[in-house]
């Protein structure tokens, strides 16, 4: 097996593993949001509004909608993991959505009806970290996959 071939295979394998890991974590977080005990004040969970009193791990305000969004991100990540070329768009798209959620969470009044997700300060910080981490991982994966393509062209 040639070196460029193994580099390409390694890049694709890494990209798929990255998407699968991100997807699995989001799916796990979404499911955990529906488990009483892991989610405190579970009986105060609403579908989607700022009055949802449930908190994942006692820290992050969640609602049914919020948990379902995590599940959907998880499913999208697992789907993207099937093909390496789908991984950068998944990671960049996820980073963009979390960037919007970060800004949204900062500018809205936490007690208004506009806070329908719902979001609190802990969520805002987590969303900021996710934005940076997902974008960074997306750039790294894209760089690795682009290197794979240039290796094939020079071989």
């Amino acid at each position: 097996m040639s070196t460029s071939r193994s580099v390409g295979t390694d890049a694709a394998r890494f990209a798929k593993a990255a998407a699968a890991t991100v997807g699995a974590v989001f799916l796990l977080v979404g499911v955990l949001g529906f488990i009483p005990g892991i989610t405190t004040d579970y009986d105060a969970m609403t579908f989607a509004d700022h009055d949802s009193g449930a908190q994942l791990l006692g820290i992050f305000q969640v609602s049914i909608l919020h948990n379902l969004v995590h599940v959907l991100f998880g499913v999208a990540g697992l789907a993207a993991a099937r093909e390496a070329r789908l991984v950068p768009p998944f990671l960049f798209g996820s980073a963009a959505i979390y960037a919007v959620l970060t800004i949204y969470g900062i500018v809205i009044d936490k007690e208004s009806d506009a806070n329908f997700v719902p979001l609190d300060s802990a969520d805002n910080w987590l969303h900021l970290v996710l934005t940076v981490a997902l974008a960074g991982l997306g750039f790294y994966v894209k760089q690795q996959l682009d290197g794979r393509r240039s290796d094939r062209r020079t071989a």
Side-chain angles (χ1 to χ4, degrees), residues 3-16 144-145 148:
T3 303
S4 64
R5 181 106 158 130
S6 64
V7 168
T9 303
D10 289 345
R13 196 173 295 134
F14 177 80
K16 291 176 179 182
Q144 297 302 305
L145 292 173
R148 174 188 76 171

Side-chain angles (χ1 to χ4, degrees), residues 1-151:
M1 181 179 245
S2 72
T3 303
S4 64
R5 181 106 158 130
S6 64
V7 168
T9 303
D10 289 345
R13 196 173 295 134
F14 177 80
K16 291 176 179 182
T21 301
V22 169
V25 169
F26 274 113
L27 189 58
L28 178 64
V29 167
V31 170
L32 290 176
F34 289 113
I35 299 176
I38 294 173
T39 297
T40 59
D41 298 319
Y42 185 83
D43 56 338
M45 185 182 304
T46 62
F47 179 76
D49 65 40
H50 67 280
D51 290 329
S52 184
Q55 290 189 313
L56 180 61
L57 305 173
I59 301 170
F60 304 103
Q61 189 176 13
V62 293
S63 66
I64 294 169
L65 177 63
H66 203 152
N67 292 334
L68 290 175
V69 167
H70 289 136
V71 169
L72 290 174
F73 270 99
V75 170
L78 295 175
R82 297 180 73 196
E83 288 189 52
R85 68 181 178 79
L86 299 176
V87 176
F90 163 70
L91 293 171
F92 291 135
S94 298
I97 290 167
Y98 275 101
V100 168
L101 279 171
T102 301
I103 294 165
Y104 176 76
I106 291 168
V107 300
I108 61 161
D109 176 3
K110 302 284 185 278
E111 299 303 316
S112 75
D113 289 339
N115 188 11
F116 69 94
V117 175
L119 302 170
D120 61 14
S121 294
D123 288 307
N124 292 341
W125 282 107
L126 178 61
H127 293 162
L128 178 62
V129 169
L130 284 171
T131 299
V132 172
L134 290 166
L137 184 57
F139 282 115
Y140 182 77
V141 166
K142 185 170 178 2
Q143 178 186 32
Q144 297 302 305
L145 292 173
D146 287 349
R148 174 188 76 171
R149 284 189 208 80
S150 67
D151 287 344

